[in-house]
Amino acid sequence: MVRTRLAPSPTGKLHIGTARTALYNFLFARKNKGQFALRIEDTDQQRSSKKFELDITEGLTWLGIAWDEGPFVKGRYGPYYQSERLAIYQKYLDQLLKEGKAYRCFCTDLELAKEKEEQGKKGLPPKYAGRCRNLSAADIDQCKKEGKSSAVRFKVPQTEIVFQDLIRGEIRFQTGQFGDFVLQKSDGTFLFMFANAIDDFLMKISHVIRGEDHISNTPKQILILQALGMQPPAYAHVPLILNPDKTKMSKRQDPISISDDFEAKGYLPEALVNFLAFLGWNPGGEQEIYSLDELIADFSLEKVGKSPAVFNLEKLNWFNGVWLRKLTKEELLKRLAPFYEKARVDIANYDKEYLLNVVGLIRERIKKLDEAVALSDFFFTKQIKLQPEQLLVDKLDKKDLKNALEISLAEMEKFQVTDFQAEALEKTFRALSAKLNLSAGLLFSALRNALSGKKVTPPLFEMMQVLGKGVCVNRLQDALALLPI
Ligand code: GLU
């Protein structure tokens, strides 16, 4: 049975690295008819917060990455919060202590810092020298009597750890590289390395798919599992995601938060999932557009590359445009509603047909949902608030502008309401531009300004048709009243 998991620490918002890891775990589990669990690694109570946890669970849900076990979903291997599993870790820690596979370390932070400094001076990597490794029972009692607090360290055996990474192939580590590492800090908190390995075993996780930044933890976790007589899972370490200039992505300057940088900016979850899948995975064919279901069908770890993936925003924008145009007008309207709401554009008073007509006009012209408001807010107001300067058109003097708008108004008024259609309007106003000896571009700009107050809108005559005769006439009248001459 394939069982995967995502094990985020709720110490920050859901970021693209974790979202991609989640996606690969989800796809791999679904593809293999297995299960995908979500485990919240909140042993570090200082840095963990419910706010971040919520951002993570909501972000995954928004992306369509559903977990079979975890928060809000009952499972057989819970609890799924590490903070609720402390007794379990304590039990295994006691076992290691009892069997002499771990020991109490009374070294103070100061002593450890000094040791590190000395090693640094000699150009050596930091490594615990093992001062407390062989304390006698009497030594330990003495330290305890003196009220010294202790951490618990794993007694690292001198050996070689070899594992087959499903992405990177065979990986070897000499355990002599690292010193006896801490399992439990002197304040009683368990280290990620320890809790995480035990949980993976107890939750029957078959495949640990995670970021390459964890690769150096793997031999230590294998040692812990071996010491406890537990079978290690299979490991797959996914390559890092880098900026186009090959630097590491950073929270402060790069778009990495799923909620802030992608959802709020108007990316579609379908597009982001498609994009994330290709950040490291490549099925090799021509097809680039994949729905979640298609990804499930085609995903495999063999097609995940070893080299770092490069984050390309233009590519994401392209995916987003493609997915936007796949949506029906109704669906797009639903997705746009929160963006109008946030911008306080009230669309509730307009009938469905009108709303869908507006959506139809902007659909081809936006790449992200958040671009819709600026392109269409003037459809949802009785009167547009214009400054006289907004009416002006370069290369058209004010007198000619006023004249052009007055004649345009007269032309508009001649229309029957039902004939106020894009094609007929275009014919009329092209003819008018010829009659006025004014370039069509200038006349259309003048009309666009007066009707929308914008330089960029959907095509003028289609926009006029959707606004309707009454609104267009009113807006031209208002514009004329504003003109300074
Ligand atoms: N809590 C760890 C993290 O958020 C989990 C690493 C793992 O997947 O094993 O990085």
Side-chain angles (χ1 to χ4, degrees), residues 5-11 18 21 25 39-41 82 192 196 200 208-211 213-214 217 221:
R5 53 48 166 192
L6 182 74
S9 306
T11 53
T18 307
T21 300
N25 275 285
R39 181 175 73 230
I40 304 295
E41 302 214 317
Q82 287 193 327
F192 140 77
N196 173 281
D200 284 339
V208 165
I209 304 168
R210 61 183 176 186
D213 44 331
H214 285 293
N217 293 324
Q221 295 191 303

Side-chain angles (χ1 to χ4, degrees), residues 80-95:
Y80 293 91
Y81 287 85
Q82 287 193 327
S83 56
E84 295 170 22
R85 301 173 63 82
L86 301 180
I88 300 173
Y89 312 136
Q90 190 62 53
K91 182 181 117 189
Y92 289 106
L93 189 81
D94 290 344
Q95 182 183 329

Side-chain angles (χ1 to χ4, degrees), residues 25 36 96 162 167 181 198 205 229 234 256 298 300 312 350 395 421 443 457:
N25 275 285
F36 168 58
L96 291 176
V162 184
I167 293 168
F181 52 86
I198 290 176
I205 299 305
I256 64 172
D298 277 16
S300 76
N312 179 344
Y350 295 85
K395 297 197 206 124
Q421 303 287 322
L443 176 62
T457 66

Side-chain angles (χ1 to χ4, degrees), residues 240-249 254 307-311:
L240 298 176
I241 303 174
L242 300 180
N243 283 313
D245 65 1
K246 303 283 158 77
T247 55
K248 257 183 103 170
M249 295 192 85
D254 303 311
S307 40
V310 174
F311 181 90

